[in-house]
Amino acid sequence: MLSERTAVVRLGLLLLGTWLALFSVTRLVLLVQFFSVASITMRDVLQVLALGLAYDVSFLLYAALPLLLLLWLPERLWRRRAMFTALQGALLLSVFVMLFVAAAEWLFWDEFGVRFNFIAVDYLVYSDEVLNNILESYPVYPLLAAQGLLAVTITAVLNRWLRRAWQSPLATLPQRALLSVGLITAVFAVVLGVGQDFPRPAQGNAYLRELGSNGPYQFFAAFRNNELDYPSFYATLPQRQVAPLLQAEWQESNARLVDDGVLPVRRQISNQPLAKPRNVVLVTIESLSAKYLGSMGDTRGLTPNLDQLRTQSVFFNQFYATGTRTDRGLEAITLSVPPTPGRSIVKRLGRESGFASLGQQLTAQGYDSVFVYGGRGYFDNMNTFFAGNGYRVVDQSSVPDADMSFTNAWGMADEDLYRQAMQIADQDYATGKPFFLQLMTTSNHRPYTYPAGRIDIASGEGREGAVKYTDYAIGAFLKTARTKPWFNDTLFVFVADHTAGSAGIEDLPVANYHIPLFIYAPGWLAPREVDRLTSQIDLAPTLLGLLGMSYTSTFFGVDALRADAPPGRALIGNYQHLGLFDGRDLAILSPQRLTRRHDDALGFSHERATDNSDPLLRRDIAYYQGASYAYRQHLLSWQAGASWQQAHARR
């Protein structure tokens, strides 16, 4: 009979038991932090602990597999003194890694409000920027020293049990075989029975679901789930029903379909041309939530320039981001597509190019389309994405050091970025070429550092200072732009890529996706407030409408300024959950083909199950099923010289 007194079994219980204890402490610490966010019942606590134990044990079964190598080690090697020294080193390293993971989990939770997911995987890929960001944001070296000291202390305390395990008798051959088969069988059962959304539910309180998870388990599971096949995981409609639903969403008097097939996407958009081309400067601002604007109710005086700009612009006060990360915002603004599940198109390596993007449309009409990024554009695959979709790229690596007054882990300060944009605009103006500059800022990002002496909040003290510096830089940029000869012929657009925080009790807390949109062209566009519910995917067709351009569209958005535009809606999502908000209620699609809705989503937000008979849910499915199909079938690709007449001539 197998005895718990055998050497490798004791060693396994010691190592895995220590891991389990640390997982439990981490969960309890996060649970205590959650009490400050929302009320929680004892039933909730018990559910979190039970789910957490299931995921912890599942991860530990995987972690136990290397012990099988020790299990079959010959006794003459096991009994050597060097073996005990190696076990001591392995225990010390294991404890240090445990403590490091616990600290990383806490920091990740503080940033995103979730356990590890494929965002953490991406951060591992882009380790240079992320590591520098962490070094600039947190006292890393004192933390590592403290963790090292604590690891040595714990190892010293456990040394007595480690020696006892080393000195215990080895398992017999039948016992080794039984242990090996038992562990492999248990791991196989976990592979089949445990996943990211089972046993934890795929709906309900998002915080509790995350607390019941295991960070390392979710991290490794994210490698498998960074892109999800829509029909395999989500509710669907018969394909013949999707097309008419989407055509109703796109119904505008200036739009005509130019193809047929299962899902006709291409439409010829006819607009009244302007007397001469207008330039465009589109500034995508890092993490600017609408809630930070003084004109939206914030009382800290962080955005005086943007508050003034609101009175001078066409301002969209019900504008929503599609996702929770920069690549999602760039995807929506550039391609005008909903946030399909898994990774954004920007980061689908080898399949991120060749689309009928906003930049490609303008390049085809004679514009110099330039993506100008404050950081290094290999991050999030931005350089490859933009270069493959009609833009030329200028990023931090293109800029001489002398032209950058301040940099941090993520790139140059916003002021330096705007100076680069000014130089490009001046050069294009001198050659008589209209320009489209799509900027992406970095300053409003942890570690929240910026040049000294600009504002009355010291650099590096937190988000408030970064927001105020972001506002300052915009004010300085516009002040300089007004002195330029191209200013009166230029459309300035300021929009956020996403909000500063999207986590909440709900999977898709609608209010946390609210961002501002300013379209500023004094002497050309009369200032006004736009109350229409609008999504980031509507920005590209709206801009082309303002520019008076006719074009062949593959956009899923519409011109939000047209009087005959269809009813507004916002498409919001994260890496798993896909939502459509109609201004009052929210429909959500989740893996395992789960469907639900939140009635009064900005208020009481009552969640209930629903099915494909629900008109709101059908709209939701049509957008995401249609976008996934169009992407996979290459219906969104750029066709040089395509027009309504040419398309019909080929048919």
Side-chain angles (χ1 to χ4, degrees), residues 504-533:
I505 294 175
E506 300 161 0
D507 287 307
L508 299 176
V510 176
N512 290 357
Y513 287 76
H514 189 201
I515 59 174
L517 169 61
F518 308 79
I519 300 179
Y520 173 64
W524 174 27
L525 291 179
R528 65 184 176 105
E529 294 270 324
V530 178
D531 296 324
R532 185 181 190 274
L533 179 63

Side-chain angles (χ1 to χ4, degrees), residues 291-302:
K291 65 182 180 181
Y292 289 125
L293 271 63
S295 62
M296 299 296 284
D298 190 278
T299 60
R300 293 170 291 180
L302 302 178

Side-chain angles (χ1 to χ4, degrees), residues 186-336:
V187 169
F188 187 66
V190 168
V191 170
L192 294 179
V194 179
Q196 281 186 301
D197 290 312
F198 186 82
R200 70 173 186 169
Q203 54 191 347
N205 189 310
Y207 275 128
L208 293 179
R209 185 170 65 254
E210 293 294 334
L211 287 168
S213 303
N214 174 281
Y217 179 92
Q218 299 296 330
F219 178 85
F220 288 107
F223 278 106
R224 303 196 307 268
N225 295 325
N226 57 18
E227 185 179 337
L228 299 178
D229 177 60
Y230 182 90
S232 299
F233 290 91
Y234 293 88
T236 60
L237 293 170
Q239 196 68 35
R240 65 181 182 278
Q241 296 181 16
V242 172
L245 285 169
L246 285 176
Q247 288 163 16
E249 299 291 327
W250 299 333
Q251 191 170 8
E252 296 174 293
S253 61
N254 66 331
R256 302 174 69 180
L257 284 174
V258 299
D259 61 8
D260 49 20
V262 176
L263 182 64
V265 171
R266 294 184 189 275
R267 307 175 308 283
Q268 177 65 24
I269 308 296
S270 301
N271 287 309
Q272 184 66 35
L274 301 181
K276 62 178 179 177
R278 305 277 184 166
N279 308 304
V280 180
V281 177
L282 167 57
V283 181
T284 312
I285 306 168
E286 173 68 44
S287 304
L288 185 66
S289 302
K291 65 182 180 181
Y292 289 125
L293 271 63
S295 62
M296 299 296 284
D298 190 278
T299 60
R300 293 170 291 180
L302 302 178
T303 59
N305 292 296
L306 288 174
D307 293 334
Q308 182 180 19
L309 185 65
R310 178 174 180 173
T311 66
Q312 303 166 344
S313 303
V314 177
F315 181 77
F316 291 72
N317 56 35
Q318 292 194 69
F319 192 76
Y320 287 84
T322 60
T324 61
R325 298 197 65 204
T326 296
D327 54 301
R328 280 300 188 191
L330 295 176
E331 172 191 68
I333 291 169
T334 306
L335 301 182
S336 183

Side-chain angles (χ1 to χ4, degrees), residues 11 15 19 67 70 82-98 155 162:
L11 176 64
L15 289 172
W19 274 90
L67 294 176
L70 293 178
M83 184 64 191
F84 181 65
T85 302
L87 291 176
Q88 286 179 308
L91 177 61
L92 176 62
L93 178 62
S94 178
V95 171
F96 180 80
V97 169
M98 297 177 206
T155 302
L162 180 65

Side-chain angles (χ1 to χ4, degrees), residues 336-349:
S336 183
V337 293
T340 50
R343 286 189 168 200
S344 70
I345 294 173
V346 176
K347 294 162 66 175
R348 295 183 185 177
L349 304 184

